[in-house]
Amino acid sequence: MDIIQKAIKIQYGLNLKDDEELNYPLKIIDELLVGILMIDLNSTVIYVNKKYTEITGVAYENIVNRHINDVRPKAILGKVMKAGKPESNIFRQEGDVKYFVDVAPIVINGKIIGGITVMKDFEDAKIITDRLKQAEDRVKNIEKLLSNKFTASYSFDDIIGESSAIKQTIILAKKISNSEASVLITGKTGTGKELFAQSIHNHSKRRNKTFMPINCASIPKDLIESELFGYAQGSFTGADKNGKLGLFELANEGTIFLDEIENMSLDLQKKLLRVLQERKIKRLGGNQNIDLNVRIIAATNVNMEELINNGIFREDLYYRLCVFPIHLPALIDRREDIKVLTDYFLRKFNSIYNAQTSISENAMKKLENYNWPGNIRELSNTIEFLISIDEAGIIYVEDLPNRIKHYKADGSKKNNTETKLKDQIKIYEKQIIADYIDRYGNKVDDKLIIADVLGISISTLYNKLKEFELI
């Protein structure tokens, strides 16, 4: 054992003289679940641990202090030691005994002082391999579950409408799909913001990756940070002892859709801004930075400029999110699509309810005249309700909900043709400005160029940007 004790003295310091202290590492080695054999420079076996004798069936006293090739004729440890190059995962079988060995020289301070064999029992290795395979299968199952659960179902082909307003919006959304920059989708409730978010994702290079929808209003404020960024082990009372992955980590390489972003607290807004700037996240209670590669699409149905002015939303985060702004027109601003959408929902819900319901001409006129404050979602819900209760096979005016049946347009909007024309002019004007911002940029100097190209003053441009919610 002299060679081992010398190695230990060199490793742990020459001041270690106590035999118990010198032998302590050997006691640890003796309890290892792999077999260990050591030889000196003369290829004499100087040590084997208990596991080695269990695997080989060779008693300690029948191998120690003997030349290795006398007791293990197939051993190559002596040659490996002299060559100075280790070898690993060598398969051995003696009778019914199967095992793998790693062999290497023992090097101290640059000098070879002996050799070591590490023996892994075949059955132990098989158990470890099986466990690794099981773990890999679980990971694959989890990945499959996530990919099935967090996928974008809709594409631009699923967006129904023939109006110039919706067509121009689709054209703009397609243009920005392949960019990696953040998108802010604005529009009233029910205009289809998530439908557009999914379509942008499915039209992008990330289409085969995760699409993670997160409604910022639905997660309790005291949980949203840990849900978004995860938490480390033992971060707080009641936390999972193993920690937890956050939704951002789960969406890595894909797209995160932050709906109702205006509900995010100022403290969390600050952390989200840091994530956008550094492209890294840190779990709650953790110290490790995790690289992040996600595209963020945010959405809101409120006037963000007003929230900024009132100190409710950070201006710097707003501009980080609003690299590409998309505003979805309300249904009242695309009235010509009401009939197209109604026909679509009739087909959809007739199929679901195994019905053949149609709608009368007068009832259709009522739908086209209504202002639809809930937009497309309200129209969809209305048609589903009408089909589910229909018994005559046709929807008449008297079947319509009272809010639609008795709706009268505001006096200032009696001239429907004039209203449509004004609306169309505004939509076209807005689209031109949005296209120029897309082309030239959104900085102050860019806006000066845009105003000059359009032949308007910079103040007029800012007024229109504000009116169309493009800033």
Side-chain angles (χ1 to χ4, degrees):
M1 298 293 289
D2 289 346
I3 189 170
I4 298 174
Q5 292 197 348
K6 287 178 183 177
I8 292 171
K9 284 183 179 182
I10 293 170
Q11 181 69 26
Y12 292 97
L14 295 175
N15 59 332
L16 291 176
K17 298 178 181 179
D18 187 86
D19 286 342
E20 283 299 314
E21 289 190 56
L22 288 171
N23 289 328
Y24 181 68
L26 294 178
K27 291 180 179 179
I28 295 175
I29 294 172
D30 206 39
E31 298 300 323
L32 293 177
L33 297 179
V34 292
I36 301 292
L37 174 145
M38 297 182 189
I39 62 173
D40 62 14
L41 288 172
N42 297 316
S43 294
T44 299
V45 179
I46 57 174
Y47 174 78
V48 291
N49 70 349
K50 286 190 294 186
K51 187 66 175 179
Y52 187 94
T53 62
E54 289 174 9
I55 295 173
T56 62
V58 179
Y60 180 91
E61 58 272 14
N62 292 334
I63 189 169
V64 174
N65 294 324
R66 297 182 62 181
H67 193 282
I68 188 170
N69 291 114
D70 290 342
V71 286
R72 310 293 293 167
K74 295 181 181 180
I76 61 170
L77 179 57
K79 294 179 181 178
V80 168
M81 176 187 65
K82 290 177 181 177
K85 294 181 179 180
E87 295 188 25
S88 60
N89 292 321
I90 304 166
F91 179 74
R92 291 278 189 264
Q93 181 172 0
E94 298 178 26
D96 293 333
V97 180
K98 300 176 183 178
Y99 54 89
F100 296 96
V101 294
D102 297 337
V103 290
I106 300 173
V107 181
I108 300 291
N109 290 339
K111 292 183 179 180
I112 296 174
I113 63 171
I116 184 171
T117 292
V118 179
M119 180 180 289
K120 296 163 283 187
D121 181 83
F122 181 83
E123 291 302 320
D124 289 345
K126 186 174 183 300
I127 290 170
I128 292 171
T129 302
D130 289 344
R131 286 177 179 172
L132 285 172
K133 179 69 167 56
Q134 291 172 4
E136 287 175 356
D137 289 343
R138 283 197 296 270
V139 170
K140 287 178 180 178
N141 287 335
I142 291 171
E143 288 177 344
K144 186 177 180 180
L145 178 65
L146 288 174
S147 65
N148 289 337
K149 185 175 181 181
F150 300 116
T151 56
S153 303
Y154 298 105
S155 69
F156 288 114
D157 291 337
D158 297 304
I159 299 174
I160 308 299
E162 299 295 333
S163 65
S164 61
I166 198 64
K167 285 185 175 180
Q168 289 299 318
T169 306
I170 291 172
I171 290 171
L172 177 61
K174 283 183 176 179
K175 284 181 180 178
I176 68 174
S177 292
N178 283 321
S179 168
E180 291 296 300
S182 300
V183 179
L184 180 64
I185 303 175
T186 59
K188 294 180 179 179
T189 299
T191 50
K193 292 186 285 295
E194 182 165 354
L195 176 59
F196 266 84
Q198 290 194 24
S199 300
I200 290 170
H201 172 80
N202 274 335
H203 202 70
S204 74
K205 298 173 184 177
R206 299 174 184 263
R207 64 180 65 89
N208 295 320
K209 302 295 183 179
T210 300
F211 176 84
M212 181 70 69
I214 302 168
N215 189 303
C216 299
S218 65
I219 305 175
K221 291 187 183 297
D222 57 340
L223 294 179
I224 191 167
E225 181 177 354
S226 63
E227 287 295 314
L228 293 182
F229 305 131
Y231 56 79
Q233 296 177 352
S235 299
F236 50 87
T237 304
D240 190 304
K241 64 180 181 179
N242 298 316
K244 181 181 178 181
L245 287 172
L247 296 176
F248 269 79
E249 278 185 81
L250 290 173
N252 217 351
E253 306 295 331
T255 302
I256 280 190
F257 175 53
L258 297 174
D259 198 10
E260 299 190 58
I261 187 74
E262 71 276 4
N263 288 283
M264 192 173 282
S265 69
L266 284 169
D267 182 57
L268 195 56
Q269 289 176 38
K270 181 179 179 181
K271 292 178 180 177
L272 178 59
L273 178 64
R274 190 181 304 120
V275 168
L276 288 169
Q277 290 172 335
E278 300 175 2
R279 293 292 169 180
K280 295 179 185 294
I281 59 169
K282 191 179 290 183
R283 291 185 188 175
L284 188 64
N287 297 315
Q288 181 182 0
N289 282 319
I290 301 166
D291 290 333
L292 190 69
N293 175 19
V294 296
R295 186 184 194 182
I296 293 180
I297 301 176
T300 181
N301 59 11
V302 302
N303 187 325
M304 295 295 283
E305 186 177 338
E306 187 176 328
L307 296 185
I308 292 168
N309 292 337
N310 292 328
I312 298 173
F313 202 87
R314 294 178 64 104
E315 186 175 19
D316 47 5
L317 175 59
Y318 171 75
Y319 285 113
R320 278 278 181 177
L321 293 172
C322 195
V323 178
F324 286 118
I326 294 180
H327 181 74
L328 303 188
L331 191 52
I332 197 172
D333 295 327
R334 41 181 292 210
R335 283 189 181 276
E336 58 265 56
D337 286 334
I338 293 175
K339 187 176 188 317
V340 177
L341 287 162
T342 300
D343 290 341
Y344 167 77
F345 290 129
L346 283 170
R347 291 192 301 273
K348 175 182 176 180
F349 294 116
N350 271 327
S351 175
I352 292 173
Y353 290 97
N354 194 25
Q356 293 182 335
T357 302
S358 60
I359 188 167
S360 70
E361 186 177 342
N362 288 336
M364 187 68 244
K365 287 180 180 179
K366 283 287 185 181
L367 296 184
E368 291 177 309
N369 188 55
Y370 180 59
N371 67 341
W372 298 107
N375 293 288
I376 300 170
R377 186 180 298 129
E378 184 185 4
L379 176 58
S380 173
N381 293 342
T382 299
I383 300 302
E384 181 176 14
F385 167 74
L386 292 170
I387 289 178
S388 66
I389 65 168
D390 173 64
E391 294 179 352
I394 187 166
I395 299 168
Y396 294 102
V397 172
E398 53 266 28
D399 300 318
L400 299 176
N402 288 334
R403 70 182 189 282
I404 300 174
K405 184 165 47 180
H406 302 305
Y407 175 77
K408 291 183 179 180
D410 185 272
S412 62
K413 296 182 179 179
K414 285 181 179 179
N415 189 335
N416 205 34
T417 304
E418 183 183 352
T419 303
K420 283 186 178 180
L421 180 60
K422 288 181 178 178
D423 288 341
Q424 288 302 314
I425 291 172
K426 284 185 177 181
I427 291 166
Y428 185 65
E429 194 175 24
K430 176 183 175 181
Q431 193 60 55
I432 290 174
I433 294 174
D435 286 342
Y436 274 98
I437 290 174
D438 186 35
R439 185 185 306 174
Y440 291 103
N442 205 22
K443 296 179 181 178
V444 175
D445 290 341
D446 301 328
K447 291 186 178 76
L448 288 169
I449 295 172
I450 293 170
D452 184 60
V453 171
L454 293 174
I456 58 176
S457 67
I458 189 65
S459 60
T460 299
L461 177 60
Y462 271 99
N463 287 335
K464 289 187 178 295
L465 289 170
K466 184 176 180 180
E467 177 187 356
F468 298 141
E469 296 182 355
L470 292 174
I471 59 173

